[in-house]
Amino acid sequence: MTTHSIEYTTKSSTPEILLGKSLAELTDWVKQQGQPAYRGKQIYQWLYQKGAHSLADISVLPKKWRENQTGYSIGRSHIHYCSIAPDSTRKYLLRLADGLIIETVGIPAAKRLTVCVSSQVGCPMSCDFCATGKGGFTRNLKAYEIIDQVLTVQEDFGERVSNVVFMGMGEPLINIDEVVAAVKSLNQDVGIGQRSLTISTVGLPGKIRELAQHKLQVTFAVSLHASNQQLREKLIPSAKYYPLDTLLDECREYVRITGRRVSFEYILLSGTNDLPEHAQELAKHLKGFQSHVNLIPYNPIDEADYQRPSKKAIHQFQNLLKNERVAVSIRYSRGLEADAACGQLRSSRI
Ligand code: SAH
């Protein structure tokens, strides 16, 4: 924790934030303000469906009352900057109430609009191939700051968001309570199906089991990236405290508890983890496991020396896994030219 986050804690205790509250909670809040219960439903609809940024925006509320409310905040951020890649992916730098900046990505496709949300300001994991970790860690995001990212992208595209992936800045399972609260609200209040929400984690001891206890129906992805413990520790420093076998055991438990399969993400780094022996070793771990492997060809970042493998090597790796009956696909990231692709998000570029 930095001094910044301490300052935020004291600040955030003053205004009451409305975004993230359920219909019942908003109804309670308006009653406390001396308003009739149905005003709660009006605020709820304006917050989640009509994109209100302040109570003053909510024209159905009594003018005098909405203009005189203090001690609350709707909880929306401001778009500080937006860059658009040739493939129409938009990367946003959003300014939070305490002045910190986070990155969010909007990825349009036929009949889909996916938002890649951040769960933290920065990231403490320091994975060797990822730009976010190189910029350090500042603080966890609150649930409303995650929901806001989705509403902001929805508003900017003028289109409903269909999918949300927790693959922006940060490690969601360090911030599990706020992430679970955001998932529930995105599902119940914003109206996005749980299966269209993806939580991606590098894995932390005990945290995958803890997430499983919430019995969410979200898509669950684990960033594996290596076929053995030694290699994984080189790429992901925190893996030292989390043996690969223990991680895989917890993933099996996740499947047992939730009835949902696990996706494994495997970044392909030329000459490092993309050799035929790595594919064989990975297949051994995953044989008979209710899972799916997503191969992610490395997206270059300034701070690391890795190379993306050739198309031939990528397909060879995929075929070796297929031959071992491992379900596998290749996921090329979008937004590369706007530095908006997986691993390219960082807080320092403003
Ligand atoms: N902390 C979470 C979510 C953020 S990263 C996690 O680790 O899963 C989302 C995905 O992008 C992860 O699989 C991550 O390992 C991957 N990634 C990070 N840097 C990358 C890069 N330079 N190229 C391609 N994928 C990268």
Side-chain angles (χ1 to χ4, degrees):
M1 285 267 174
T2 63
T3 43
H4 218 133
S5 54
I6 294 162
E7 184 189 312
Y8 175 78
T9 316
T10 33
K11 264 194 199 161
S12 73
S13 59
T14 5
E16 183 153 15
I17 309 288
L18 302 188
L19 193 64
K21 284 192 192 294
S22 64
L23 177 57
E25 287 167 338
L26 285 171
T27 305
D28 281 350
W29 184 74
V30 290
K31 283 205 252 169
Q32 280 164 27
Q33 314 298 313
Q35 288 293 313
Y38 71 89
R39 297 275 180 224
K41 185 150 191 197
Q42 290 178 323
I43 296 179
Y44 181 78
Q45 283 167 341
W46 280 72
L47 272 190
Y48 294 107
Q49 307 305 328
K50 299 194 182 187
H53 283 244
S54 74
L55 278 192
D57 285 348
I58 309 181
S59 53
V60 290
L61 298 175
K63 199 160 191 262
K64 215 167 164 194
W65 180 74
R66 68 181 134 104
E67 281 172 3
N68 286 329
Q69 287 306 305
T70 50
Y72 82 92
S73 161
I74 292 267
R76 297 296 308 268
S77 66
H78 297 279
I79 298 179
H80 176 74
Y81 182 77
C82 174
S83 56
I84 306 181
D87 68 4
S88 300
T89 294
R90 298 184 197 173
K91 180 170 83 168
Y92 303 86
L93 301 185
L94 303 183
R95 184 182 293 281
L96 306 176
D98 59 0
L100 294 174
I101 300 279
I102 51 165
E103 300 198 3
T104 302
V105 184
I107 310 158
K111 295 192 185 157
R112 266 189 181 210
L113 175 57
T114 302
V115 183
C116 179
V117 293
S118 296
S119 56
Q120 298 183 311
V121 184
C123 183
M125 304 312 291
S126 308
C127 299
D128 204 34
F129 46 79
C130 180
T132 307
K134 310 278 180 194
F137 169 68
T138 309
R139 69 166 171 90
N140 282 332
L141 291 183
K142 294 285 182 190
Y144 77 86
E145 292 170 318
I146 297 172
I147 302 161
D148 163 72
Q149 297 174 56
V150 175
L151 296 179
T152 297
V153 174
Q154 187 156 280
E155 202 173 287
D156 193 55
F157 274 84
E159 204 179 304
R160 281 200 72 81
V161 167
S162 59
N163 297 73
V164 175
V165 295
F166 285 77
M167 294 187 184
M169 299 165 80
E171 171 42 54
L173 293 195
I174 297 179
N175 190 16
I176 191 163
D177 292 344
E178 298 295 322
V179 164
V180 169
V183 160
K184 288 184 176 165
S185 174
L186 288 171
N187 179 229
Q188 286 159 21
D189 309 322
V190 182
I192 303 171
Q194 283 209 11
R195 288 173 188 224
S196 304
L197 304 172
T198 301
I199 296 180
S200 176
T201 179
V202 75
L204 294 155
K207 288 288 176 187
I208 293 177
R209 189 177 304 120
E210 188 181 331
L211 181 67
Q213 306 300 341
H214 289 279
K215 297 215 169 74
L216 300 173
Q217 288 299 296
V218 296
T219 301
F220 179 56
V222 173
S223 293
L224 202 58
H225 303 328
S227 56
N228 62 60
Q229 176 64 14
Q230 199 188 7
L231 185 53
R232 196 159 191 271
E233 282 181 21
K234 263 201 215 153
L235 302 174
I236 304 169
S238 66
K240 283 186 200 78
Y241 311 102
Y242 199 23
L244 188 57
D245 288 341
T246 317
L247 165 69
L248 292 172
D249 280 347
E250 256 190 79
C251 290
R252 281 191 196 89
E253 216 175 313
Y254 186 91
V255 175
R256 231 180 5 253
I257 296 172
T258 62
R260 305 275 298 150
R261 73 174 189 190
V262 174
S263 294
F264 288 109
E265 291 163 285
Y266 193 100
I267 187 171
L268 284 170
L269 307 164
S270 180
T272 301
N273 68 354
D274 69 333
L275 305 177
E277 66 241 42
H278 297 125
Q280 304 291 0
E281 204 170 25
L282 183 62
K284 255 190 220 156
H285 285 299
L286 300 185
K287 221 166 206 169
F289 197 134
Q290 202 181 328
S291 64
H292 185 96
V293 175
N294 279 319
L295 300 175
I296 317 174
Y298 170 66
N299 300 317
I301 61 163
D302 294 344
E303 304 89 335
D305 260 347
Y306 296 109
Q307 302 294 326
R308 176 184 278 206
S310 66
K311 279 219 158 100
K312 196 171 156 219
I314 295 169
H315 285 110
Q316 190 187 16
F317 198 92
Q318 182 187 30
N319 287 333
L320 283 167
L321 289 177
K322 272 189 185 164
N323 291 343
E324 298 294 331
R325 297 179 171 279
V326 172
V328 53
S329 39
I330 302 172
R331 196 179 74 203
Y332 284 97
S333 305
R334 302 267 308 270
L336 209 57
E337 296 85 350
D339 271 352
C342 290
Q344 294 186 315
L345 306 185
R346 75 197 84 207
S347 41
S348 54
R349 270 208 191 165
I350 355 172

